[in-house]
Amino acid sequence: MRKTARYAALAASGLLALSSLTACANDAASSTSTAGSKGDGKGTKVKIMVGGLDKVIYMPAMLTQRLGYFDSEGLDVELLSEPAGVQAETALVSGQVQGAVGFYDHTLDLQTKGKAVESVVQFSHAPGEVEVVSAKQAGSISSPVDFKGKKLGITGLGSSTDFLTKYLAVKNGVKVSDFTPVAVGAGPTFIAALQQGSIDAGMTTDPTVATILDKKAGKVLLDMRTPEGSQKALGGPYPSSSLYMQTDWVNGHKETVQKLANAFVKTLKWMSTHSASEIAAKMPADYSQGNKKLYAESIKSTLPMFTDDGVMPQNGPQTVEKVLKAFNPNIKNAKVDLGKTYTTEFVDAAK
């Protein structure tokens, strides 16, 4: 994944922060449901790669485990973590894992590459992403029109933050070749890059956004954590975080997929009836990074992006296709069968 090249722009402190973040991810990656840790052999084993376990946009993955819903469905789920969604996608198509928690837009991109992948539970109807501008550049970047000549932070090349950044640029008359995307991950590495000037602005999620604002390291340029924000920036609902899987695997393991859908839909319903503080209290203690109040605030800011039933939002796939076609030549010149990029079979049965 050319990680060395991706992070070359970061100063030493940023690289140290990356090591810390990776260590946290590795700790999280060992997380398994109780059924598995008992070693009783009763749970059906499933590995799921998440594009950042501690990101609020992917919170349903860990929360489902913490609430015990995987266990109650007889599943032994191992949650693994990578800092960018594109790496979760790679793990899925290579067969390392059975499921990926990442952005739905990867299913369209993969279809043009001959890979049949589909979203089976749609966690969201908005991206949950925020474009932030560094405090130093706040006076020179007031909209995506000003992206020309700038260094823009993304989680990884080919990631959904990369896709959305390119769309916002093109939509506002800036060519993809007019700015420099810089892969800086999320959390400490993103913040370090923003503070040190390795990036002028960038796209990230909570809790990174909340920390940036708390440190006064930057300001919000575009907020896509709500359906309204998604409508304004992208022209419609933008289904983002989801559980997606290879279609062949889904068709061959429908009972297991149904159990996963049951567990995730229960979590989404639970989230819709509990406060941000109550949700934060269920998450691993280290996710708050020593500031429980700020972590709860970051959850509160992002909660509007989530669905309460796991169903694909109406016209959502069409919005995603429009966004990708604006800058991605592979999709622009291909006919995408949207009906094959998601299924509501399992969430409908879960309801």
Side-chain angles (χ1 to χ4, degrees):
M1 298 305 295
R2 303 175 293 175
K3 288 184 181 177
T4 302
R6 290 182 180 186
Y7 293 98
L10 289 178
S13 61
L15 291 172
L16 287 171
L18 173 63
S19 299
S20 174
L21 182 67
T22 304
C24 290
N26 289 339
D27 288 342
S30 65
S31 182
T32 56
S33 57
T34 308
S37 60
K38 285 179 180 175
D40 54 16
K42 293 179 181 178
T44 300
K45 181 74 175 180
V46 182
K47 288 185 179 181
I48 298 176
M49 183 67 79
V50 184
L53 261 175
D54 57 352
K55 294 178 185 176
V56 177
I57 58 169
Y58 299 143
M59 184 171 60
M62 179 57 74
L63 184 58
T64 301
Q65 189 176 92
R66 303 283 287 190
L67 291 171
Y69 292 159
F70 289 138
D71 289 343
S72 64
E73 290 292 331
L75 296 171
D76 172 11
V77 174
E78 182 178 2
L79 297 174
L80 303 159
S81 187
E82 284 283 6
V86 66
Q87 292 159 331
E89 168 199 298
T90 301
L92 178 71
V93 297
S94 66
Q96 296 175 49
V97 296
Q98 289 76 52
V101 169
F103 269 40
Y104 160 71
D105 53 22
H106 290 294
T107 67
L108 280 72
D109 187 48
L110 286 167
Q111 189 182 113
T112 66
K113 297 171 182 175
K115 304 290 185 182
V117 174
E118 61 188 15
S119 165
V120 295
V121 184
Q122 194 59 51
F123 298 162
S124 58
H125 46 193
E129 301 283 353
V130 178
E131 185 72 23
V132 294
V133 181
S134 74
K136 296 174 184 176
Q137 291 288 333
S140 63
I141 303 176
S142 58
S143 83
V145 173
D146 302 318
F147 283 174
K148 188 172 183 178
K150 303 299 183 183
K151 296 172 291 185
L152 304 178
I154 55 174
T155 53
L157 299 175
S159 67
S160 297
T161 52
D162 190 15
F163 293 163
L164 288 171
T165 300
K166 286 176 177 174
Y167 174 74
L168 292 172
V170 170
K171 181 188 176 188
N172 288 275
V174 179
K175 295 177 183 176
V176 171
S177 59
D178 285 343
F179 67 89
T180 304
V182 184
V184 291
T189 52
F190 186 100
I191 297 168
L194 199 68
Q195 291 176 318
Q196 295 163 10
S198 299
I199 58 174
D200 302 308
M203 190 173 291
T204 191
T205 59
D206 276 312
T208 307
V209 176
T211 304
I212 288 168
L213 297 179
D214 186 57
K215 290 176 177 288
K216 296 182 170 45
K219 71 170 190 176
V220 172
L221 181 68
L222 287 171
D223 191 337
M224 295 176 284
R225 290 175 291 190
T226 66
E228 295 78 17
S230 178
Q231 180 71 42
K232 184 177 179 181
L234 306 172
Y238 197 93
S240 57
S241 56
S242 65
L243 170 68
Y244 63 88
M245 313 179 90
Q246 295 201 62
T247 301
D248 283 348
W249 199 90
V250 171
N251 292 337
H253 302 80
K254 289 201 170 190
E255 185 179 347
T256 299
V257 177
Q258 186 61 63
K259 290 177 179 180
L260 286 167
N262 293 345
F264 279 123
V265 170
K266 275 192 237 175
T267 296
L268 292 168
K269 289 188 182 301
W270 188 92
M271 286 168 58
S272 72
T273 58
H274 289 76
S275 70
S277 295
E278 289 172 322
I279 295 170
K282 289 289 184 181
M283 300 299 285
D286 61 336
Y287 281 21
S288 67
Q289 296 180 15
N291 193 329
K292 292 181 180 179
K293 182 180 178 183
L294 190 65
Y295 182 57
E297 286 176 4
S298 74
I299 292 175
K300 184 177 181 180
S301 297
T302 306
L303 275 178
M305 74 173 278
F306 293 106
T307 68
D308 62 3
D309 55 11
V311 175
M312 176 65 72
Q314 190 172 7
N315 299 323
Q318 288 79 6
T319 305
V320 173
E321 183 181 31
K322 178 196 73 174
V323 166
L324 296 182
K325 278 184 177 292
F327 66 86
N328 188 322
N330 292 335
I331 293 181
K332 189 173 186 177
N333 302 317
K335 180 169 176 56
V336 178
D337 187 342
L338 293 176
K340 292 182 178 178
T341 61
Y342 72 97
T343 177
T344 61
E345 173 186 349
F346 303 99
V347 292
D348 286 342
K351 289 190 295 181

